[in-house]
Amino acid sequence: MSDATKLYAQNGDPVFPRIVLPEIPNLAQIETYESNGGYGALKKALSMDPAAVTDVVKKSGLRGRGGAAFPTGLKWAFMPKGNEKAKYLAINADESEPGSFKDRQILEFNPHQLVEGILIASYAMGIKAAYIYIRGEYYKWYKILEKSVEEAYSRKYIGENIAGSNFSVDVYVHRGAGAYICGEESGLMESLEGKRGYPRVKPPFPAQNGLWGNPTTINNVETIANVPAIIWNGAEWFAKIGAEKHPGTLLYGVSGHVNKPGVFELPSGTLLTDLIYKYSGGVIGDKKIKMVIPGGSSMPPLRGDQLEGVKMDAESLKGAGSAIGTGGVIVMDEDTNLTKVLLRITKFYWDESCGQCTPCREGTGWMKKILQRMYDGGGKVEDLDLLVRVANNIEGNTICALGDAAAWPVKFTIQRFRKELEEELASQERSAAA
Amino acid sequence: MFTEENLRRVEEIKNRYPKPMAALLPVLWIAQEQFGWISEETMHYVGGLLGLPFNHVLGVVTFYTMYNKKPVGKYNIQFCGNISCMLRGADNLIEHLEHKLGIKVGETTSDGLFTLKEVECLGSCGTAPMMQVNNDYYEDLTSEKVDNLLEEFRKQAQR
Ligand SMILES: Cc1cc2nc3c(=O)[nH]c(=O)nc-3n(C[C@H](O)[C@H](O)[C@H](O)COP(=O)(O)O)c2cc1C
Ligand code: SF4
Ligand code: FES
C-alpha cells in the first residue's frame, strides 16, 4: 500500500489526524517511509531560511511532549544564532515515567519521522551533532534506531551536505543504563558526558551551557516527531488541531484497570472519560473508578467523581487540579488499596532519587517509612498530616523536579481521599488499642 | 582483554564525542556484553582505555542499575513491580516466580541459570504485567505464560 496522502496526515481526516503514528504498514522501513513522501519535509525545510523553520514551529504552537509542555519554537529560539561554539541537540528517549509507554511506539513504528524531525531541528538551530539518549532497557528499539540512522546516513540524509545542501550534521544513538533521573534534562546531559546522572542547578540553562558547556537543546521523541508534519503542512494547519493553547495530537497511554489498555493518538483536549470508556473499553468488570493519574505517576491524582468533563490538554488539566505530564493515564478501580499505591509510587521516587538534595533524599525515605507502617496496619490518623508536612518540605526545595514528582502524588491523594484514609487509619488505631 | 573487534568499536565510539569520557557508558556496555558483568578488573581496564581514573568508572558503574556488579544467571529476569503492573497482578507473579525458582528477589539459582530482580517501570504499562529477560520483553504475562517461558529457557540452556 502506497498512500502518499497519509504520511504527515496530509489530506487526513482533519478531525482525527494521525500525525506521528499514521496507519501505514511497514512504515519503519525506509523504502516505505520514502515512498509515502517521507524526507520530503526535510527537503522543504532545507529550501527555507533556518530562522523561518523555527518561526513555523513557534507559530504552530507545538509544546513539548516530555512532561512540561514547554513551547518548542521558543526553546529553539533561545539557542544562540552564530557558530562560535558547536551546538548540540539531545533527544530524550529515556521514557521512564511510570505509566508512560508512548515514545516507544514512535521508535517502533515510525522511527524515520523522528530522524527526519531531528534533521529539521538541527538545520533550524545550526546543530553540529544530535544524540538520541535512549533508556538502556529499550534494547530492541535501540537496535531499530541504530538501523534507521545508518539507513539515513547511507541515503545522505545525515552526514556532510545533506540532501545536496550545504548543511552538515551527525546523529548518534546513545544508550543509558538504568536510571530514571537521566530523563531529567540536565541529568541526561551529565549521563551523556559519561558521568553519574546528577541534575545540574539551573540557571545556567542548556541553551547557554549544555553538553560540554556548549549551547544545547533537549527535546522529547514525540515532540520532534511532530516537526516534519508541521513543516510540510504549515503552522496554521497544526494550530487548528485539538486544544487551542496546546494544539496537535497527543499520544495517550492508558493502563491499569481498563479492558483494552494501549496508546491512542488523538487530538489534544480529548475527554478523559472518552479515553477510558470509548477507547480503552471501560473499567474491568464494570467497576467504578476510585482514582486516575492523568499524566504519568508524577502528576496529582484525580478522584473518580472528578473526571466528568475533564479534557486532556495542559491548560484544562491544570484547571482540574492536575497536569498533562506525559499523557500516561493510570486507571484504578474502586477496590484499589490507596496506601499500597502510594507506597509503591513513593518507593519508586525514593529508589530513583539521586541523593543530591537533602529534602528529596530524606523526605522520600520518611514518606516510604510512614506509608509502609500504614500499609502494615500500624498507622495513626496523624500520619496523614505528617506525610503532608514531609511532602511540603520537599516541594519547591530541590534542584530538580523529581522532588515535586515525589511530593504531589502523596499530598494530593491525601487531600482528595482524606475521609477514606482517616477512616482506615482510625480503625487501625482501634485494633492496635484492643 | 577486549576482542580486536571490540577494540575497533571503542575507537569508533570515541569519535562520536568531543571528549572521550562520553564513551564510558557505551564502552561499559561492550564490556558487559563480552564478560557478562563488570568486575573491578574490567573497570581498571576500561578506565585505562578512556584515560579515566578508576574512581570515576566505579562511581558510574554503581550509579546505573543495569550494569551487573556481580555475575548474574544465564537468564536475568527483571520483573516490573511498578504501579501499572502492580494493578494487574505483578506481585502475585513475582511470588510465583520466587516459588517456582526457589529463590528470593535479588538471588540467583544455584545452577546459575536464573537471576530474579524486581525493577521499576519498563515502559510497557499497557501490556502489564511484564518482565524483561536479558534484552527481551515478555508482556501480558500470566502464571501459565511464565511457566512456559521458564520451561523454554531450561530447554534452550541444554542445547
Ligand atoms: C525526574 C524527571 C524525569 C524525566 N523523564 C523524562 C523522560 O523520560 N523523557 C522526556 O522526554 N522527558 C523527561 N523529563 C522532562 C525533561 O526534563 C525535559 O523537560 C524534556 O525532555 C524536554 O523535552 P520537550 O520540551 O520536548 O518536552 C523528565 C523530567 C524529570 C524532572
Ligand atoms: S530533587 Fe532529588 S533527584 Fe532531583 S537533584 Fe535533588 S536529590 Fe536528585
Ligand atoms: S508499570 Fe510496569 S511497565 Fe510500566
Side-chain angles (χ1 to χ4, degrees):
Chain A
M1 196 185 80
S2 161
D3 186 352
T5 62
K6 275 194 175 168
L7 191 76
Y8 310 147
Q10 303 163 61
N11 303 345
D13 182 338
V15 189
F16 255 56
R18 299 274 300 257
I19 300 175
V20 293
L21 291 176
E23 287 173 284
I24 304 173
N26 304 319
L27 191 57
Q29 287 172 8
I30 194 162
E31 294 81 11
T32 315
Y33 190 70
E34 281 183 318
S35 69
N36 280 278
Y39 288 105
L42 172 64
K43 288 170 195 156
K44 181 171 176 186
L46 290 171
S47 73
M48 298 162 65
D49 188 59
V53 174
T54 300
D55 237 37
V56 172
V57 174
K58 233 190 207 169
K59 287 205 183 99
S60 76
L62 176 66
R63 294 169 68 173
R65 307 299 198 227
F70 192 84
T72 307
L74 187 62
K75 189 183 264 191
W76 294 9
F78 288 157
M79 291 286 272
K81 297 288 164 301
N83 280 321
E84 298 84 58
K85 274 181 137 183
K87 290 179 270 187
Y88 297 105
L89 174 64
I91 301 301
N92 196 337
D94 196 56
E95 186 152 76
S96 310
E97 166 91 352
S100 314
F101 48 108
K102 56 155 185 111
D103 293 335
R104 178 185 147 183
Q105 317 298 325
I106 296 173
L107 305 178
E108 178 153 351
F109 298 108
N110 200 5
H112 281 289
Q113 193 163 321
L114 171 64
V115 173
E116 187 176 12
I118 291 171
L119 296 167
I120 295 171
S122 297
Y123 175 70
M125 290 180 274
I127 299 295
K128 180 177 187 282
Y131 299 94
I132 308 173
Y133 186 99
I134 182 166
R135 66 179 297 181
E137 294 87 348
Y138 275 6
Y139 184 77
K140 174 178 165 190
W141 299 279
Y142 161 72
K143 285 291 179 193
I144 295 176
L145 271 178
E146 286 237 297
K147 178 169 165 276
S148 308
V149 166
E150 255 170 52
E151 288 169 341
Y153 262 108
S154 71
R155 296 188 187 212
K156 307 260 187 278
Y157 295 128
I158 313 179
E160 304 253 312
N161 300 102
I162 64 176
S165 72
N166 54 17
F167 177 65
S168 306
V169 66
D170 281 305
V171 179
Y172 304 109
V173 189
H174 186 99
R175 216 177 143 206
Y180 168 63
I181 197 58
C182 296
E184 195 279 339
E185 59 185 26
S186 61
L188 184 152
M189 292 192 292
E190 287 289 303
S191 177
L192 228 163
E193 290 181 6
K195 306 176 201 156
R196 292 177 156 223
Y198 287 144
R200 300 176 184 170
V201 179
K202 281 158 268 186
F205 292 100
Q208 271 68 51
N209 191 342
L211 281 167
W212 303 289
N214 290 38
T216 302
T217 291
I218 299 105
N219 273 132
N220 169 263
V221 166
E222 184 188 345
T223 310
I224 292 295
N226 272 287
V227 168
I230 292 171
I231 295 303
W232 189 259
N233 298 303
E236 292 72 24
W237 166 81
F238 189 81
K240 279 199 209 103
I241 301 165
E244 191 188 334
K245 294 200 171 130
H246 187 194
T249 60
L250 294 177
L251 293 183
Y252 298 107
V254 187
S255 67
H257 294 141
V258 289
N259 285 308
K260 287 188 285 173
V263 171
F264 308 94
E265 180 172 9
L266 293 163
S268 59
T270 295
L271 282 172
L272 177 54
T273 46
D274 276 356
L275 272 177
I276 297 169
Y277 293 103
K278 199 162 146 193
Y279 297 100
S280 309
V283 182
I284 299 172
D286 281 327
K287 287 188 188 170
K288 289 207 192 88
I289 295 177
K290 178 172 279 184
M291 178 159 101
V292 172
I293 309 184
S297 68
S298 304
M299 300 302 146
L302 297 171
R303 221 172 34 229
D305 62 10
Q306 294 178 313
L307 312 180
E308 209 58 52
V310 171
K311 289 181 176 172
M312 292 290 290
D313 62 84
E315 308 307 316
S316 309
L317 273 170
K318 206 191 280 169
S322 189
I324 186 71
T326 58
V329 177
I330 309 169
V331 179
M332 292 166 245
D333 72 24
E334 54 190 327
D335 298 329
T336 308
N337 178 337
L338 290 178
T339 309
K340 187 176 178 191
V341 167
L342 284 186
L343 175 60
R344 189 62 189 82
I345 294 180
T346 302
K347 179 183 165 288
F348 169 72
Y349 291 108
W350 170 76
D351 237 350
E352 300 293 343
S353 165
C354 80
Q356 283 190 102
C357 326
T358 313
C360 173
R361 186 185 64 237
E362 301 296 321
T364 51
W366 274 109
M367 293 197 303
K368 181 172 133 314
K369 211 167 145 190
I370 300 164
L371 285 161
Q372 183 72 54
R373 190 168 68 203
M374 285 165 58
Y375 181 66
D376 293 338
K380 299 198 177 73
V381 174
E382 66 194 39
D383 285 344
L384 296 178
D385 288 332
L386 187 58
L387 280 170
V388 172
R389 268 206 304 281
V390 179
N392 281 338
N393 192 42
I394 302 175
E395 193 182 345
N397 294 323
T398 57
I399 293 176
C400 90
L402 186 140
D404 297 352
W408 286 350
V410 171
K411 188 174 143 175
F412 286 99
T413 303
I414 292 175
Q415 189 189 89
R416 286 167 191 171
F417 293 88
R418 184 128 205 149
K419 202 159 152 269
E420 175 179 338
L421 290 165
E422 271 179 1
E423 276 167 15
E424 159 66 24
L425 289 169
S427 103
Q428 287 187 10
E429 282 186 36
R430 279 195 301 275
S431 27
Chain B
M1 291 233 306
F2 271 175
T3 60
E4 283 289 308
E5 162 66 10
N6 281 344
L7 282 172
R8 198 193 50 72
R9 280 167 74 195
V10 171
E11 284 314 305
E12 190 272 318
I13 287 168
K14 271 160 77 175
N15 283 330
R16 298 176 171 195
Y17 312 95
K19 300 232 170 86
M21 186 189 278
L24 182 54
L25 266 66
V27 172
L28 287 170
W29 274 123
I30 294 178
Q32 183 150 307
E33 225 174 76
Q34 187 176 326
F35 307 118
W37 65 293
I38 305 208
S39 63
E40 285 205 3
E41 196 190 348
T42 304
M43 292 183 221
H44 279 290
Y45 176 70
V46 166
L49 280 179
L50 299 175
L52 300 172
F54 170 78
N55 276 336
H56 181 87
V57 181
L58 177 70
V60 166
V61 171
T62 49
F63 185 81
Y64 297 93
T65 56
M66 290 187 78
Y67 295 130
N68 302 322
K69 280 67 124 180
K70 53 182 191 202
V72 293
K74 188 172 165 69
Y75 298 96
N76 186 14
I77 302 179
Q78 300 146 85
F79 212 101
C80 174
N82 214 306
I83 176 160
S84 302
C85 288
M86 182 187 96
L87 293 171
R88 301 193 67 119
D91 297 18
N92 292 340
L93 286 183
I94 293 172
E95 259 177 49
H96 178 78
L97 270 164
E98 287 186 328
H99 183 73
K100 270 271 178 183
L101 297 171
I103 53 173
K104 291 270 163 225
V105 166
E107 296 176 350
T108 300
T109 54
S110 53
D111 59 5
L113 219 46
F114 297 103
T115 296
L116 180 62
K117 293 178 190 160
E118 180 182 331
V119 296
E120 299 298 359
C121 177
L122 288 169
S124 283
C125 327
T127 44
M130 64 81 61
M131 64 182 182
Q132 175 165 26
V133 181
N134 298 342
N135 286 329
D136 300 321
Y137 276 26
Y138 298 89
E139 303 169 54
D140 287 317
L141 294 175
T142 59
S143 51
E144 294 77 57
K145 272 197 192 172
V146 167
D147 291 350
N148 290 341
L149 282 165
L150 289 183
E151 264 322 292
E152 189 54 37
F153 294 142
R154 286 209 167 90
K155 270 191 220 144
Q156 264 178 29
Q158 276 168 6
R159 269 179 230 140

